[in-house]
């Protein structure tokens, strides 16, 4: 034990402005609005948002014209089906500012996501957009269990990524105290988590795992500290990883979803019922479609999430195809919120691998691996092309150093993957620490297939 390892935990007693166990809504009226009123509000906002898009963005105007749809003709929410889709390539093609409905001079902020190929995707916000986002993120933090007066340790990356500043402004709007850590410097994060006594940790789930591992290595038992809630998102993760994080950090792990093209974090979030993520329908319209036909799927069926913004000034989006796969449920929730629930996002359409005809998402592999005896919960998938077939190698990390045990581990993992997912994968056991650790969004797949031009 080094000097750093002295018990340095703030007491488990907090001075909450609002008792943490009391049900609390940041915006009760909006969150519990009766469906009929909510739908009237949506229709009013939809028409205004379409007008904004068509008046200020040539691409939206041209697409709406081509579809024979005018904002004033939209008379019911069902008319949404007649409107054209928007895609990520539209943002790329309009790089950097072509989809903005306000002149650059009227924007308060820009964010961008790097993307693996080509130009980044640039998104812009007016001051009012930032205020709306802060309100929705505050609502999301509260829905997940954060309270005014809490200490919130924010390990989402600050910068062009929307995670850091999005969670930051939301935490301030909630009335919490923010520790603006960003990602990286994990030893320091562990020390400050313990010293300051944060009740809430915001991070990607893979980075939260990194924090847990470093804390254990440093001899700091975060489970005995003040942490109670983790608000994790920005990447797909499994129930198995949720249980792992809850056990190793001593907190309740909640799922938060969002994307920069629509806003950033705070588009949807879990409540205490943990029966899906409430999507904030007073600001967004959610649809689930069949990605091939573009038609809506019956409620409860999986499909691609499509989102239309209802209040964005600078970057209104009409039927944006997120590529994220989920299901929706509209039945009332035990928490009292009336907004629909999206099931945990399994992954992106683009991340789906087809291995010998079997569709597989990295998060499905994660669900099999995390918690298996003899393994640390770190992994990477390597995809290669042999002839005309894609081959998958799963790199797992052994919990111990004894390389003689690795063949048995590899055979066991291979068997589990085959029997639970139905896909034949090669498995390679790595030594402890050999699988790269996440600093933000984890890189789960190394795709070594030749690039198609
Ligand atoms: O990741 C925004 C965010 C920040 C959300 C912090 C939550 C917390 P982008 O960088 O634009 O924005 O990436 C958006 O990440 O389309 C999903 O594929 C994925 N994603 C985000 N949240 C989740 C989640 C932010 N909870 C893309 N579960 C989205 C699964 C998620 N995937």
């Amino acid at each position: 034990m080094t000097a750093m390892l002295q018990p340095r935990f703030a007491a488990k007693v907090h001075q909450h402005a609002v008792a943490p166990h009391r049900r609390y809504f940041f915006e009760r009226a909006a969150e519990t609005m009766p469906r009929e009123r909510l739908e009237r509000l949506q229709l009013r906002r939809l028409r205004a948002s379409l007008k904004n898009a068509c008046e200020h963005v040539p691409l939206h105007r041209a697409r709406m014209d081509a579809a024979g749809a005018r904002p004033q003709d939209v008379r019911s929410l069902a008319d949404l089906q007649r409107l054209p889709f928007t895609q990520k390539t539209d943002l790329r093609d309009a790089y950097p500012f072509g989809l903005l409905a306000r002149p650059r001079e009227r924007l308060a902020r820009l964010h961008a996501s790097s993307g693996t190929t080509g130009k980044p995707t640039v998104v812009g916000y007016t001051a009012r957009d930032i205020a709306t986002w802060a309100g929705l993120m505050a609502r999301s933090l509260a829905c997940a269990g954060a309270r005014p007066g809490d200490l919130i340790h924010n390990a989402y990356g600050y910068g062009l990524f929307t995670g850091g500043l999005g969670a930051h402004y939301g935490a301030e709007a909630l009335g919490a105290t923010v520790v603006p850590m960003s990602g990286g410097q994990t030893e320091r994060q562990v020390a400050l988590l313990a010293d300051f006594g944060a009740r809430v940790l915001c991070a990607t789930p893979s980075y939260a795992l990194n924090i847990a591992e470093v804390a254990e290595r440093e001899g700091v038992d975060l489970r005995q500290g003040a942490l109670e809630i983790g608000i994790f998102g920005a990447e797909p993760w499994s129930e198995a990883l949720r249980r792992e994080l809850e056990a190793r950090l001593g907190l309740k792990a909640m799922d938060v979803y969002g994307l920069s093209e629509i806003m950033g974090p705070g588009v949807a979030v879990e409540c205490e019922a943990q029966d899906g993520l409430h999507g904030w329908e007073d600001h967004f319209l959610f649809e689930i479609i069949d990605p091939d036909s573009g038609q809506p799927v019956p409620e409860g069926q999986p499909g691609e999430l499509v989102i239309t913004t209802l209040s964005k000034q600078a970057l209104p989006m009409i039927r944006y195809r997120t590529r994220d796969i989920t299901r929706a449920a509209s039945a009332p929730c035990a928490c009292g919120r009336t907004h629909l629930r999206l099931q945990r996002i399994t992954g992106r359409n683009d991340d789906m691998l087809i291995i010998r005809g079997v569709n597989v998402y990295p998060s499905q592999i994660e669900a099999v691996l995390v918690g298996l005896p003899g393994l640390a919960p770190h992994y990477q998938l390597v995809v290669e092309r042999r002839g005309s077939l894609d081959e998958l190698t799963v790199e797992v990390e052994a919990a111990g150093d004894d390389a003689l045990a690795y063949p048995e581990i590899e055979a066991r993992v291979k068997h589990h993957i085959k029997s639970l997912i139905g896909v034949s994968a090669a498995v390679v056991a790595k030594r402890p620490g050999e699988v790269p650790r996440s600093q933000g969004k984890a890189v789960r797949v190394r795709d070594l297939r030749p690039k198609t031009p």
Side-chain angles (χ1 to χ4, degrees), residues 2 46 138 201 219-220 307 325 364 403 407:
T2 67
L46 173 63
L201 168 63
V220 177
I307 307 180
I325 303 298
Q364 286 176 285

Side-chain angles (χ1 to χ4, degrees), residues 156 161-163 234-236 255-260 265 324 348 441:
Y156 285 121
F161 174 51
T162 50
E235 61 186 2
D255 195 358
V256 62
Y257 169 81
L259 63 168
S260 12
D324 292 323
R348 297 176 61 74
K441 294 197 192 225

